[in-house]
Amino acid sequence: MGKRFSVFKLTVAAVALTAANILAAPKPLTVWIMPNGASPQETLEKRLDLFTKKTGIPTKVQVLDWGESWNRITQALSGQQEAPDVLQLGTTWIPYFASRKEIKPLNAELSSIHPEKFVPVSWNTTHIDGDTTIYSVPWFIDIRAILANKRILAEHGITKDLVSTYEGFTRAVRKINAKDEVLEDGAHVRGYAFPGKNDWNIPHNFAPWIWSNGGNFITKDSSGKWHANILSEETLLGISSYLHFILDTLVAPEALQTNTAQIAQQFNNGELAFIVSTSEIVMQTRIHGNQGGLSNARIGSDSVMVIPIPKGKTGSVSFIGGSNLAIPANNKRKEALDLLLFLTNDENLDAYTKQIGFLPPSRNVLKTWSEDENYRVLVRALETGKTYVAIPEWGDLEQLFGFMFSTIWEQMEIPSLYSEDKLYEIFKQYTVEIDKKLNYPTTNIMTAAEFKTAWNKVTETTEQQDTLGAPKDSTNEAVSDNMKKAPFVFIVVLILGFIFAFVRKRKK
């Protein structure tokens, strides 16, 4: 009996000790991220293992698909479901959640965050435009430049300098198209392509062409109020520059049926000489396919080259996006800040971004990255690149711009549907809708006649840029000559027909 009682006491003690250990064990810190890179969860967990070893606090990573992330995060931050301790937010999302006071202000922690270590274009995304309250810390930068297939460019004698301007870029695209190289699998090589109406990046795709010509999606009036800027001459010039890749058949109209992933796949297959894309492809070409990379794909053997966005009227301006880390406003755990600071220290920024292929936002880390020729181009582009305006309304505006450009592409898919009148109606409609989102009264909107004058002017500028120094296209020249001759030919045919009918009638 005594022995059994002893065993019972030992068992009770063991259970009690286990329970005590469970109760004493710290609750895991949870992190929500999106699918950054090839193996997002495993990649981050490797870094977080170091945090656990250092602090004894376990962590848990949850990966949200981009398609569901907005709704999941909105519900969590508004208290409808349990929120994480630290979460990834796209840079354009910060102002929205900050305006709702759903993410924690971090000004009291700036001495630990060290704002001076981040590049300005990235740090500017941490708060609302015009507000000094900081709500997030930069995690990585998504900067988009021209990615080029080295093999194709070398075979055509095309260098970086030759494609540094819009004119040079269009000449290079036309030259590659003219050769019509056919790969072993039967695919034809094209100079350039981009996704169309069904893409999730539509505004991002238009942005560099608009910004490089001095345009903007929205702008401030003299009193500091934001309003639509679609119908400014500079913005129209940027839009025209982009549309002319299709209008001049430099890009095949079928591309408008594709999305970003499909265009990237064509580039990876060696079917495209140029694309505008994220920097992650550069890193992927250095990683084997077994690890989610592209080193054994055609682009891996052809090799990739990074080139700045071709200069427009006002220079070369890349689109810059990315993601920051934030803490939910209702979070009470001081360890959440420790985790955020850990993930954004230089060592982790360097290690993590190398795995996912995006740029680190730290000045010191970028100095090291600049030793690589391709990344040097991207780092330099940060100096002239632009982000979207950091205002709470931007999420809604971006959706409107997506609808607007998608509607334009729909018109251009069928040439008979495309006209200046329809283009004007699209721009006019969305100017009104954008101003409405910004609580701005739309007044003195340009008339259809004024638009046609402006559009013809910028279109003429675009066509001059495109054809400057370009070899003459004999097909287009022949079509142009035939169009000039057409009225005279019609008159001659009409006269001959009349004579023939008259002579025939007399014979009867």
Side-chain angles (χ1 to χ4, degrees):
M1 178 72 179
K3 187 175 181 181
R4 289 182 180 179
F5 184 69
S6 298
V7 171
F8 176 74
K9 285 200 299 183
L10 288 173
T11 303
V12 170
V15 170
L17 182 61
T18 302
N21 287 337
I22 292 173
L23 291 172
K27 179 184 177 183
L29 286 165
T30 56
V31 185
W32 282 8
I33 65 170
M34 271 64 99
N36 314 311
S39 304
Q41 185 158 343
E42 295 83 352
T43 300
L44 185 58
E45 285 175 344
K46 287 180 181 178
R47 303 311 306 170
L48 291 176
D49 283 345
L50 299 176
F51 176 81
T52 300
K53 288 178 182 178
K54 180 180 178 181
T55 64
I57 304 173
T59 60
K60 182 180 179 182
V61 177
Q62 184 169 356
V63 180
L64 307 181
D65 182 77
W66 276 106
E68 67 165 349
S69 56
W70 176 266
N71 289 335
R72 287 285 305 279
I73 290 171
T74 299
Q75 291 173 4
L77 294 182
S78 62
Q80 297 177 52
Q81 63 171 275
E82 187 175 358
D85 297 289
V86 176
L87 76 162
Q88 173 185 346
L89 293 175
T91 52
T92 58
W93 299 6
I94 301 297
Y96 174 79
F97 292 112
S99 68
R100 294 165 59 90
K101 303 193 182 304
E102 292 179 344
I103 48 179
K104 187 168 287 189
L106 299 172
N107 286 49
E109 317 300 337
L110 292 183
S111 59
S112 300
I113 294 171
H114 301 295
E116 68 281 358
K117 85 173 187 178
F118 297 99
V119 291
V121 72
S122 184
W123 184 254
N124 290 341
T125 65
T126 61
H127 54 90
I128 300 172
D129 179 73
D131 187 357
T132 57
T133 305
I134 303 303
Y135 292 95
S136 61
V137 180
W139 198 24
F140 61 81
I141 300 172
D142 169 14
I143 180 167
R144 306 186 181 195
I146 298 285
L147 302 186
N149 183 303
K150 268 190 178 182
R151 178 195 67 79
I152 298 174
L153 266 60
E155 289 184 2
H156 289 83
I158 298 170
T159 64
K160 284 186 179 182
D161 290 340
L162 290 176
V163 294
S164 62
T165 63
Y166 183 85
E167 310 93 85
F169 183 69
T170 54
R171 283 201 300 270
V173 172
R174 185 178 286 107
K175 184 177 183 181
I176 293 165
N177 288 347
K179 184 178 179 181
D180 193 26
E181 177 186 357
V182 180
L183 301 175
E184 296 87 355
D185 59 3
H188 290 252
V189 174
R190 296 283 299 179
Y192 179 45
F194 47 75
K197 63 180 183 179
N198 299 318
D199 192 56
W200 51 89
N201 287 310
I202 292 183
H204 309 353
N205 300 334
F206 272 86
W209 309 100
I210 290 173
W211 290 337
S212 296
N213 282 289
N216 282 296
F217 292 94
I218 60 175
T219 190
K220 285 182 178 179
D221 66 9
S222 57
S223 64
K225 294 182 178 179
W226 291 103
H227 63 91
N229 194 53
I230 302 167
L231 289 169
S232 75
E233 187 172 309
E234 294 80 8
T235 302
L236 290 177
L237 176 57
I239 293 173
S240 172
S241 298
Y242 199 48
L243 298 187
H244 264 75
F245 285 111
I246 295 291
L247 291 172
D248 297 338
T249 65
L250 293 172
V251 172
E254 304 88 73
L256 299 180
Q257 296 285 348
T258 62
N259 59 34
T260 290
Q262 291 168 318
I263 291 296
Q265 188 60 51
Q266 289 177 27
F267 180 74
N268 297 342
N269 292 343
E271 299 169 24
L272 295 171
F274 301 106
I275 60 170
V276 177
S277 191
T278 61
S279 59
E280 61 181 327
I281 290 180
V282 178
M283 190 64 73
Q284 287 175 354
T285 60
R286 305 172 185 184
I287 301 172
H288 195 272
N290 293 338
Q291 299 173 301
L294 296 167
S295 66
N296 54 328
R298 184 183 290 274
I299 189 59
S301 57
D302 285 358
S303 193
V304 67
M305 177 194 301
V306 179
I307 300 173
I309 293 293
K311 293 177 184 176
K313 185 179 178 181
T314 57
S316 169
V317 184
S318 293
F319 165 83
I320 297 177
S323 287
N324 297 352
L325 294 178
I327 299 172
N330 295 329
N331 188 282
K332 305 299 182 185
R333 300 187 66 180
K334 66 180 184 63
E335 299 92 347
L337 177 64
D338 295 335
L339 179 57
L340 185 149
L341 294 174
F342 172 81
L343 289 171
T344 55
N345 69 36
D346 279 359
E347 180 184 350
N348 282 304
L349 289 177
D350 184 35
Y352 185 68
T353 51
K354 276 180 179 173
Q355 288 297 311
I356 65 174
F358 290 102
L359 260 62
S362 164
R363 296 173 187 264
N364 289 332
V365 179
L366 286 171
K367 284 181 183 178
T368 304
W369 282 50
S370 292
E371 295 172 6
D372 182 290
E373 182 182 0
N374 277 330
Y375 284 106
R376 188 182 310 130
V377 175
L378 294 168
V379 172
R380 287 176 178 170
L382 293 175
E383 298 173 9
T384 57
K386 289 183 65 172
T387 60
Y388 290 137
V389 179
I391 56 176
E393 301 87 351
W394 186 260
D396 290 334
L397 295 182
E398 189 174 319
Q399 190 174 38
L400 286 177
F401 284 117
F403 291 150
M404 182 183 78
F405 291 130
S406 180
T407 303
I408 292 171
W409 285 142
E410 284 179 358
Q411 299 288 322
M412 297 186 68
E413 278 186 311
I414 304 174
S416 60
L417 294 179
Y418 176 76
S419 71
E420 290 179 6
D421 289 321
K422 289 181 179 177
L423 205 58
Y424 169 70
E425 290 301 324
I426 294 170
F427 290 145
K428 180 182 177 181
Q429 173 193 341
Y430 282 95
T431 292
V432 173
E433 291 190 34
I434 289 162
D435 282 345
K436 187 176 180 181
K437 287 289 183 184
L438 293 168
N439 294 316
Y440 191 88
T442 303
T443 56
N444 300 322
I445 193 168
M446 69 165 55
T447 64
E450 290 170 335
F451 168 74
K452 287 182 180 179
T453 300
W455 186 252
N456 289 335
K457 181 179 178 182
V458 299
T459 299
E460 184 178 333
T461 300
T462 301
E463 289 172 347
Q464 287 173 350
Q465 289 177 331
D466 181 33
T467 58
L468 183 63
K472 289 186 177 180
D473 187 324
S474 58
T475 303
N476 289 343
E477 192 174 289
V479 170
S480 179
D481 288 343
N482 287 339
M483 289 299 291
K484 291 176 183 177
K485 296 173 184 175
F488 304 103
V489 173
F490 176 75
I491 292 171
V492 170
V493 171
L494 189 65
I495 293 172
L496 289 174
F498 175 77
I499 294 172
F500 176 77
F502 178 75
V503 170
R504 187 177 179 184
K505 187 175 181 181
R506 287 195 63 182
K507 287 182 178 179
K508 287 182 177 180

